[in-house]
Amino acid sequence: MKALTAEQFDEKFDNGEDISMYLDFTKAVRLKDIDQLSTKTKKVNVEFPEWLLDTLDKEAHKIGVSRQSVIKLWVAERLKAI
């Protein structure tokens, strides 16, 4: 299967095409199990150089989420890779 760019994936989704073959359901959480996930959070303060914040903001804007969401996603991905 050929990999899709985010734009190609979005276009298929927007056109109502079946995108299930491009999704990895092995780590999916069923709605009935959602209450078992830990949602307890703690605040942290982290200082970043301006260039890094600018880069984070551009990426967040590109994918339509907040800077905080990008940071949390990337940190979680990195920790899962350990």
Side-chain angles (χ1 to χ4, degrees), residues 43-47:
K43 280 191 173 194
V44 296
N45 294 320
V46 181
E47 294 183 15

Side-chain angles (χ1 to χ4, degrees), residues 40-48 68 71-72 75:
K40 185 177 178 182
T41 62
K42 290 185 179 182
K43 280 191 173 194
V44 296
N45 294 320
V46 181
E47 294 183 15
F48 292 107
Q68 180 175 330
I71 294 169
K72 290 192 291 188
V75 169

Side-chain angles (χ1 to χ4, degrees), residues 2-82:
K2 181 181 172 189
L4 292 180
T5 65
E7 291 80 14
Q8 291 169 323
F9 183 87
D10 290 346
E11 184 177 343
K12 287 185 177 297
F13 178 82
D14 292 342
N15 291 335
E17 296 179 43
D18 181 7
I19 56 168
S20 61
M21 68 183 82
Y22 303 105
L23 302 174
D24 179 4
F25 292 105
T26 62
K27 298 175 186 169
V29 176
R30 297 179 187 272
L31 287 178
K32 67 180 180 84
D33 300 327
I34 201 84
D35 60 336
Q36 295 176 11
L37 296 176
S38 174
T39 56
K40 185 177 178 182
T41 62
K42 290 185 179 182
K43 280 191 173 194
V44 296
N45 294 320
V46 181
E47 294 183 15
F48 292 107
E50 283 186 35
W51 68 266
L52 186 55
L53 290 177
D54 292 341
T55 305
L56 285 167
D57 289 341
K58 287 177 186 172
E59 185 63 25
H61 179 73
K62 186 182 348 177
I63 61 177
V65 298
S66 68
R67 176 196 299 162
Q68 180 175 330
S69 294
V70 171
I71 294 169
K72 290 192 291 188
L73 175 65
W74 288 354
V75 169
E77 286 176 349
R78 178 70 174 145
L79 290 173
K80 285 180 185 177
I82 296 175

